[in-house]
Amino acid sequence: MTLPLLQDLRKIFKNDTGRVFIYPSSGTGAWEAAISNTLNLGDRVLMSRFGQFSHLWVDMAKRLGLDVVSVDVEWGQGVPLDAYQQDLQRDPSIKAVFATHNETATGVSSDIAGVRRAMNAAASDALLFVDGVSSIASIDFQQEGWGVDLAVTGSQKGLMMPAGLSMLGVSAKALDAAKSATMERCYFDFADMIATNNAGYFPYTPPVQLLHGLRASLDLLFEESLPHVFARHRRLAEGVRRGVQALGLDLYAVAPEWYSDTVSAIRVPDGIDGAEVCRIGFERYRTPFGAGLSQVAGKVFRIGHLGDLNEVMCLSALASAEMSLADAGAKIDLGAGTAAAQDYYRRALSPTNPEPQPV
Amino acid sequence: MTLPLLQDLRKIFKNDTGRVFIYPSSGTGAWEAAISNTLNLGDRVLMSRFGQFSHLWVDMAKRLGLDVVSVDVEWGQGVPLDAYQQDLQRDPSIKAVFATHNETATGVSSDIAGVRRAMNAAASDALLFVDGVSSIASIDFQQEGWGVDLAVTGSQKGLMMPAGLSMLGVSAKALDAAKSATMERCYFDFADMIATNNAGYFPYTPPVQLLHGLRASLDLLFEESLPHVFARHRRLAEGVRRGVQALGLDLYAVAPEWYSDTVSAIRVPDGIDGAEVCRIGFERYRTPFGAGLSQVAGKVFRIGHLGDLNEVMCLSALASAEMSLADAGAKIDLGAGTAAAQDYYRRALSPTNPEPQPV
Amino acid sequence: MTLPLLQDLRKIFKNDTGRVFIYPSSGTGAWEAAISNTLNLGDRVLMSRFGQFSHLWVDMAKRLGLDVVSVDVEWGQGVPLDAYQQDLQRDPSIKAVFATHNETATGVSSDIAGVRRAMNAAASDALLFVDGVSSIASIDFQQEGWGVDLAVTGSQKGLMMPAGLSMLGVSAKALDAAKSATMERCYFDFADMIATNNAGYFPYTPPVQLLHGLRASLDLLFEESLPHVFARHRRLAEGVRRGVQALGLDLYAVAPEWYSDTVSAIRVPDGIDGAEVCRIGFERYRTPFGAGLSQVAGKVFRIGHLGDLNEVMCLSALASAEMSLADAGAKIDLGAGTAAAQDYYRRALSPTNPEPQPV
Amino acid sequence: MTLPLLQDLRKIFKNDTGRVFIYPSSGTGAWEAAISNTLNLGDRVLMSRFGQFSHLWVDMAKRLGLDVVSVDVEWGQGVPLDAYQQDLQRDPSIKAVFATHNETATGVSSDIAGVRRAMNAAASDALLFVDGVSSIASIDFQQEGWGVDLAVTGSQKGLMMPAGLSMLGVSAKALDAAKSATMERCYFDFADMIATNNAGYFPYTPPVQLLHGLRASLDLLFEESLPHVFARHRRLAEGVRRGVQALGLDLYAVAPEWYSDTVSAIRVPDGIDGAEVCRIGFERYRTPFGAGLSQVAGKVFRIGHLGDLNEVMCLSALASAEMSLADAGAKIDLGAGTAAAQDYYRRALSPTNPEPQPV
């Protein structure tokens, strides 16, 4: 079972020449695996912060002993390509570049191909680390096409499983780097994984039930086909955005280039408490909206739209959001957001329309 | 496990002095059990037809050899109390009166207490048979309060389980009748059930997995409490009805006294094919609306709103119905139905409102 | 899903030209379906009793109004072929012949092909009814090869599922008989089944979860292949029999020709209470032996050996039986039965032995 | 849910004044968590190796940068108390003492209370680390009574769950040590766990399905009661040992003081290949014996006897072992081991015997 799983995971990462490792851990564990296997204490790395999850990765990198050059970006935007390019040109000692593909806290997607172009423009030979926890298997991801060296994801997002597994796509270059990297590591060590994976097993007792779940998940994704999975996420997200706009609300993402197809963070109107919106949604309408985290606490609520999801489910989230906002004191034209999304979904799914194109 | 299950089922039926039997069968099996255990070939029985399911029960009664006086009622109405009273007064030989509590095909609920009053007014000592498949555990049902002698339900509706079990509430009077009833019967025989149930088991191998499911179902119902379960169904249904009205559509039920709290059958506008609405709903929007059956084929589509269900799920059904209707060619103000239901649900769930009262 | 299921079930029954119906009921329901669809009140039928289950079928036939000629056979034997042939020759009015393929209460298998030969010898054109609840899918069964007209089975034996479904294989001749049979019937009516099955559905809500289970069960059986499934049951049973013999105990089946490959009923030694053996087995050793029923109550205990079972599981049953018998007061050479079975299983599974042949 | 889980886990560890952390990881992860949170690079630690798992822990400690004093013990014995005491007296710089409570590879249990006594005798204030993966919740374990500072276990052994969670019991002293320990760590960091656990959640997405499983597991253990759970494991193991002895075989554990109540490693006779025994057991008899690992490869096979297990299951393992050994060429008196275990189990479970006492 193990070898075909690992082989098929590489199709998800679009990683032909490297490896994908499966860890019994949360995605955070794969963040650590990526760092501890390929970098050394004191290595200078370029990171950016624009949300709770990119913030936590910076925090981890510092605690693991890296010399972090952290670019603080206004929340609502993503990875700053120009700043990255300049930093890389200015400082050739940078050993690794980190990018959060999809910042779950703010609903912001970044341009990973652009990060690679910036690195190339700066002639950087740093390793490229990408957090794809809330993007991989939902939004197009091309580990090899974009030159990603370390790509992290988890079981509980686009792979539609319970939490408990993380997956780490590793390029051939990163595998090489691991051979000489000197951080102490054992649980997450690539070498142990490689030696045992080659024989079809794992360095310690794996959670077999989750591996069976992963098999089922991959089969579902391949049956729908990745281009259709990506197009569906794009369509679901666009409907939610139309609904938000029709309600006169704003996404936290400041411009369309940053809009995420897997999660929308919506600014609550002035004077309204986003935490109260979430509380009402959960307790009164049984809808678990994502709360605003850290510096956006109370300012946003979030609708996740990824995984095993369809248009009608997104409409129910919008309808619930309208009621929750209204109950929390916002002036809301009930049904207006839902109607805008319905209108979009109808046209997008119309059989007379061409097949929605993957992005 | 068996004895507490049977004891607790009596709380669901509100049957203190009779028995409840559990059959491994669909609800249709319990229809047959009720007849074959208490009536005799050629017995005159009073029934009424106003939808596919009441129609099928009449068909069964005839095929099992009863002399059926069948009152045909315009679909959209329910059990005709006056006609029943007159028939009973005119013909004292009637041995049994049948009433479909909730006609699933047309979304019509009937007044079972009223049937009992009509019987009493006519001084009838007939047995009262009630089909409660889509009412019991969702809509108030009082086997003893209403003098119901045979009450049928199934596992897959208000009891929130997979199909495979039917339950039959039997009054003391019906148990007596069974002692002298002469129809051939064996699988559904009360006497075998009584003899084995008394000892805590069944006359043949029971589907134990479904009995465990029934245990869980009863625990959930008692935890929420039956009055709250009934109030929730009333509330969910009322929201759907407000939505239907706001769309300018009509229920198939012709007057509020017939409105069902578990299923709404909605007339499609002239020129629109209800079957096409259902097809689009299922294929395009992943929503399994109920199709029109028999004489309402193509004329209605149905939204079921019973069981483990909440307000937001009903909103998603309305939103999907709006899109499906529009795609099928109806002039629909997208979001209008959803908005009306949202408005109702908000007020009904407002913490400043009094607790919704059970009906 | 329905049509392939029904098609594949016919491979299990080896029924190419008739039909197989699936009922939401226990096997008892399919007994009744077979009778009520093909026979008429007062029809003379030939049956035999040699255990609790054949006894119950006779009881049902009488209660459903048949004129039963019942041959009482000493328990421990099975269907009496000579007596059947003589009765059929003597009485050409016999409309149906009933045979219990595997009597679960006594561990006795009967020769169904022999019943057909006896019928042919007597030039009988009666219908042949077979109870295959504890044989079909475990012991070779050939509905067409043996001229069986009505073949009953259930989900919870050889099909390895929970209880809740019965299956009835019906020959073309029996389908014809059903067209003119006049017993009142509805729930089990063939005509309703045929009309709906042809369109891929059922006359009432089916237990879909069990149909999915049946799909999985059939896939497992075909993967192992029926000849291997039968050979495995023969082997498992033979090991148990060797163990019983080595303990100095007797099967209740009086001669090898009656030995069942799916259940062994074992006589307890004089002075030992079989019910106590079962109680100890269950409470002390967590082993659910079958108790002696009716006239063998206290005289036997039973080991079922069918379904998803292997050699080591049979050994554990023997080991538990040894302890339970000893605790109940029997003189038992602990391990002797287990050892004899081990010896047999080793040789039967030895790779140097030829593949065990299906019987 | 989280706080009661953590509280109840402390009853399993018998840890009243410290904490228990739950990690989404295999047990190996908790090994690393224990080290990286409380020790510093270059710290001298005392360990012992007498099997594959104690070997791997030593390997981890070295790779994480500890200065390991490793006592190599002949496999078949356990933690060498005298050697530990002498080493501790000789070298007061030892910061931590490691002990594998139950070495799964050899079926050896060590005396953890004795390790604590040796430390006290040497006036050592080192931290005591214990690997309790295959002991905790099956064999008596007293984190506080024995002065254990770091106690590791996993979900898939005595807790009867799928793999995927590790649990780490931490003493107050170890929590103090963590405050000043300087190894880089993040995923396994105590401080993050403490901060979030105090609020009832986790530092990253937890595998909620496994937490529900843990709840069920703890409820089962408390219902049986820990003393009875320990007595049952002792009884099951003793039966297996009697069986092994009756077959003329030896445990790999060299003396009764080392016998494990959760796993028995059995020496195969001279000239027999233990790997072949395991292969035959798995392929022919569907029994997954544990293979000999590393220096006992081919020399032993192992029977695990922990978790949700009873006497009859142990008998089936013995019976299968007898056949597998015989097929692999060993001279085996089939049934002899089973009989000896049966004899022991009968007496141990006899109602006239006093309740088996926990050890």
Side-chain angles (χ1 to χ4, degrees), chain C residues 165-197:
Chain C
L165 291 183
S166 65
M167 272 73 64
L168 180 62
V170 185
S171 71
K173 180 178 172 186
L175 289 169
D176 270 347
K179 291 176 189 161
S180 54
T182 59
M183 279 200 197
E184 284 79 22
R185 60 187 184 266
C186 190
Y187 183 68
F188 292 118
D189 194 48
F190 286 178
D192 295 342
M193 276 287 169
I194 291 169
T196 51
N197 283 180

Side-chain angles (χ1 to χ4, degrees), chain B residues 43-117:
Chain B
D43 273 356
R44 177 158 296 185
V45 301
L46 179 61
M47 306 184 77
S48 47
R49 283 191 292 207
F50 40 80
Q52 176 68 1
F53 293 93
S54 46
H55 169 84
L56 285 172
W57 210 8
V58 166
D59 178 63
M60 171 184 276
K62 290 178 176 173
R63 289 162 66 185
L64 294 179
L66 301 180
D67 175 14
V68 178
V69 178
S70 175
V71 184
D72 279 306
V73 177
E74 188 194 2
W75 288 30
Q77 301 181 35
V79 178
L81 302 186
D82 290 346
Y84 265 34
Q85 182 171 339
Q86 290 159 21
D87 283 341
L88 288 165
Q89 281 165 334
R90 190 181 310 131
D91 185 351
S93 75
I94 289 172
K95 292 289 196 305
V97 174
F98 286 63
T100 297
H101 190 193
N102 191 75
E103 171 55 65
T104 305
T106 58
V108 161
S109 281
S110 289
D111 176 7
I112 302 302
V115 175
R116 167 51 61 193
R117 282 195 302 271

Side-chain angles (χ1 to χ4, degrees), chain B residues 206-258:
Chain B
V208 178
Q209 78 287 6
L210 293 173
L211 299 180
H212 284 290
L214 181 56
R215 177 72 267 159
S217 166
L218 295 176
D219 291 345
L220 285 169
L221 289 168
F222 295 148
E223 187 187 355
E224 185 176 357
S225 91
L226 287 179
H228 283 84
V229 169
F230 301 151
R232 174 167 56 81
H233 282 86
R234 161 68 45 107
R235 187 171 66 241
L236 294 174
E238 183 61 22
V240 171
R241 291 190 284 259
R242 303 275 176 119
V244 168
Q245 186 180 31
L247 290 169
L249 300 174
D250 292 317
L251 291 182
Y252 203 82
V254 299
E257 63 189 283
W258 305 116

Side-chain angles (χ1 to χ4, degrees), chain D residues 289-307:
Chain D
F289 297 115
L293 301 170
S294 182
Q295 66 172 254
V296 292
K299 297 182 186 169
V300 304
F301 69 99
R302 291 175 293 136
I303 297 176
H305 32 74
L306 87 172

